[in-house]
């Protein structure tokens, strides 16, 4: 492009352009174009105009031509341009979705963006945009475990009933053990989080032993009674039950929710249970630890106190656990179960495997 027009300004156009340059609320691109035309009207060389306006020579020629054709109004609007990229045809979008939701060929476990792009003849970014628009994530997978307990429905109704409608003059406790908690000491001190860089910690560590946490979550008020012990056997479990027995006021029935671990059904535990008639055990369905409320407390303990911890001995580890329990009990929150048993069973039945 070269200069093909000469700028001749009327008094009205010059006044309008000067007003645009002086207006602080104008977009900068409008001011820049007005200055180009004012400099051109003063018969400055194109190179000098480009230098003063900090633009290229073709830009100077372009806006001179636009002003010659459309006047000041042409400087205040951008030229309509067609979209830079045509939208993906619906049939190709449908093909990408169909391929992504199908089984990949051979022994490949899942589709990748590049594999789908090569198959349909689109770019990787186009495939990724289609996936984002339809919320497809082939690289992710969620695991599940379906309970095979024949009394699954009865146990779910029993435990959920305790959560949502606890009996009067009774205490509902969710009891479980977090075993083999390792006292891991990092080989070197890490660095704290900084702007633009996360906290660091060494991937290697030294083992200083393990401990087992026995915990009972009071569903009604959210407090936790915990004891750390060296081993995970029925004698330790009975000791913990005695500690819980001593902490619950006399005259209250204790409904304890437990999983199906063998320790909980040991003959000596059953004998202990027969000597304490106010205790009632409610066992969770097989492979359904998610219904045990204390598992949420164990998850929070792991994330907030154990996962990044640096413990040089079992004593340090146990002290950290007991401090966390004390802090939790300073501001407890009642456990609130909101999903009725019928909704859980309906959801499970919807995902049941079809009979062969």
């Amino acid at each position: 492009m070269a200069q093909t027009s000469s700028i001749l300004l009327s008094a009205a156009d010059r006044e309008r352009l000067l007003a645009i340059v002086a207006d602080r609320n104008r977009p900068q691109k409008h001011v820049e174009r007005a200055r180009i035309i004012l400099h051109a009207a003063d018969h400055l060389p194109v190179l000098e105009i480009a230098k003063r306006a900090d633009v290229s020579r073709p830009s100077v020629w372009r806006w001179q031509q636009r002003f010659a054709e459309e006047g000041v109004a042409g400087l205040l609007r951008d030229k309509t341009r067609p979209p830079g990229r045509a939208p993906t045809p619906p049939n190709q979008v449908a093909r990408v979705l169909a391929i992504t939701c199908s089984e990949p060929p051979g022994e490949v476990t899942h589709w990748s963006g590049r594999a789908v792009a090569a198959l349909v003849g689109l770019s990787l970014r186009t495939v990724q945009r289609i996936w984002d628009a339809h919320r497809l994530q082939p690289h992710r997978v969620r695991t599940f475990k379906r309970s095979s307990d024949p009394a699954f429905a009865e146990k779910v109704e029993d435990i959920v009933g305790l959560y949502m409608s606890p009996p009067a003059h009774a205490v509902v406790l969710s009891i479980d053990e977090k075993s083999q908690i390792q006292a891991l000491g990092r080989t070197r001190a890490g660095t704290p989080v900084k702007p633009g860089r996360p906290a660091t910690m060494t991937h290697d560590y030294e083992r200083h032993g393990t401990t087992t946490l026995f915990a009972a979550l009071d569903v009604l008020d959210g407090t936790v009674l915990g004891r750390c012990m060296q081993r995970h056997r029925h004698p330790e479990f009975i000791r913990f039950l005695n500690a819980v027995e001593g902490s619950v006021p006399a005259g209250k029935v204790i409904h304890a929710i437990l999983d199906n671990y063998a320790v909980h059904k040991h003959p000596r535990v059953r004998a202990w249970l027969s000597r304490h008639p106010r205790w009632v055990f409610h066992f969770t369905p097989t492979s359904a630890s998610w219904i045990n409320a204390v598992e949420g407390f164990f998850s929070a303990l792991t994330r907030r106190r154990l996962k990044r911890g640096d413990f040089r001995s079992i004593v340090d580890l146990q002290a950290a656990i007991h401090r966390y329990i004390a802090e939790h009990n300073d501001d407890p929150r009642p456990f609130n179960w909101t999903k009725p048993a019928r909704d859980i069973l309906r959801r499970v039945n919807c995902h049941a495997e079809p009979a062969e």
Side-chain angles (χ1 to χ4, degrees):
M1 178 185 292
Q3 184 170 357
T4 58
S5 59
S6 178
I7 303 300
L8 298 176
L9 277 182
S10 65
D13 286 344
R14 179 178 291 275
E15 184 177 352
R16 190 175 178 187
L17 291 173
L18 290 174
I20 293 173
V21 173
D23 189 352
R24 294 181 177 228
N25 294 323
R26 282 283 184 178
Q28 186 62 31
K29 60 183 180 180
H30 293 172
V31 175
E32 178 185 279
R33 296 166 189 174
R35 284 175 175 166
I36 290 175
I37 302 304
L38 288 172
H39 292 324
D42 293 337
H43 305 292
L44 294 178
V46 173
L47 188 59
E48 182 65 21
I49 297 174
K51 185 181 299 184
R52 293 191 181 188
D54 195 21
V55 296
S56 63
R57 287 184 299 170
S59 294
V60 175
W61 296 330
R62 181 185 306 114
W63 292 114
Q64 286 179 344
Q65 183 67 28
R66 178 75 65 84
F67 178 79
E69 294 174 354
E70 304 180 24
V72 177
L75 304 178
L76 304 182
R77 66 173 183 80
D78 294 329
K79 193 172 183 179
T80 304
R81 298 180 179 88
R85 180 178 301 171
T88 307
N91 61 333
Q92 286 191 306
V93 174
R95 189 182 178 198
V96 170
L97 299 179
I99 291 175
T100 306
C101 295
S102 65
E103 290 294 328
E107 298 183 359
V108 179
T109 58
H110 63 280
W111 285 104
S112 67
R114 288 182 173 83
V116 175
L119 188 61
V120 299
L122 298 175
S123 67
L124 171 62
R125 188 67 193 111
T126 300
V127 172
Q128 291 173 339
R129 280 196 293 267
I130 295 173
W131 284 355
D132 291 341
H134 294 82
R135 300 176 62 185
L136 285 175
Q137 298 176 323
H139 64 286
R140 297 185 62 188
V141 62
R142 288 182 178 178
T143 59
F144 70 95
K145 173 66 176 178
R146 180 175 172 83
S147 175
S148 58
D149 196 323
F152 177 81
E154 292 80 358
K155 291 180 178 180
V156 168
E157 292 174 351
D158 177 34
I159 295 175
V160 172
L162 288 175
Y163 289 153
M164 304 189 72
S165 301
H169 309 293
V171 175
V172 179
L173 299 178
S174 175
I175 298 178
D176 202 359
E177 306 87 21
K178 185 173 179 60
S179 60
Q180 298 296 312
I181 306 175
Q182 298 188 75
L184 302 179
R186 300 293 165 177
T187 55
R188 293 187 63 181
T191 59
V193 62
K194 296 180 180 179
R197 191 180 72 178
T200 63
M201 60 189 303
T202 60
H203 72 278
D204 53 341
Y205 47 79
E206 296 175 351
R207 292 186 175 92
H208 300 286
T210 61
T211 189
T212 294
L213 171 62
F214 291 78
L217 171 67
D218 190 330
V219 173
L220 299 180
D221 62 15
T223 58
V224 173
L225 175 66
R227 294 288 187 275
C228 287
M229 302 183 189
Q230 294 301 317
R231 304 186 69 179
H232 187 197
R233 304 173 304 169
H234 72 272
E236 287 77 16
F237 182 58
I238 292 175
R239 283 167 51 197
F240 179 67
L241 292 178
N242 288 328
V244 177
E245 168 72 17
S247 66
V248 177
K252 288 195 172 184
V253 178
I254 302 176
H255 293 273
I257 300 171
L258 311 98
D259 60 20
N260 292 275
Y261 188 56
V263 166
H264 302 158
K265 300 180 179 181
H266 193 276
R268 292 189 180 180
V269 175
R270 294 182 182 274
W272 183 93
L273 193 61
S274 64
R275 297 193 301 270
H276 298 79
R278 70 170 180 158
W279 281 75
V280 181
F281 278 9
H282 302 263
F283 292 102
T284 64
T286 305
S287 304
S289 295
W290 48 266
I291 205 171
N292 204 349
V294 76
E295 294 291 346
F297 172 79
F298 287 154
S299 175
L301 169 66
T302 301
R303 288 183 282 107
R304 299 175 183 174
R305 187 56 57 92
L306 302 179
K307 190 173 182 179
R308 301 187 187 184
D310 186 8
F311 308 107
R312 299 298 171 176
S313 66
I314 296 179
V315 175
D316 291 344
L317 173 62
Q318 293 177 342
I321 293 174
H322 290 151
R323 286 194 301 271
Y324 181 84
I325 294 175
E327 294 168 3
H328 172 86
N329 291 337
D330 288 340
D331 185 22
R333 296 184 180 181
F335 177 75
N336 185 22
W337 185 279
T338 60
K339 184 74 71 174
R342 64 177 180 274
D343 292 348
I344 298 174
L345 298 177
R346 182 170 62 249
R347 187 71 177 268
V348 170
N349 292 334
C350 287
H351 292 81
E353 297 179 0
E356 296 181 359

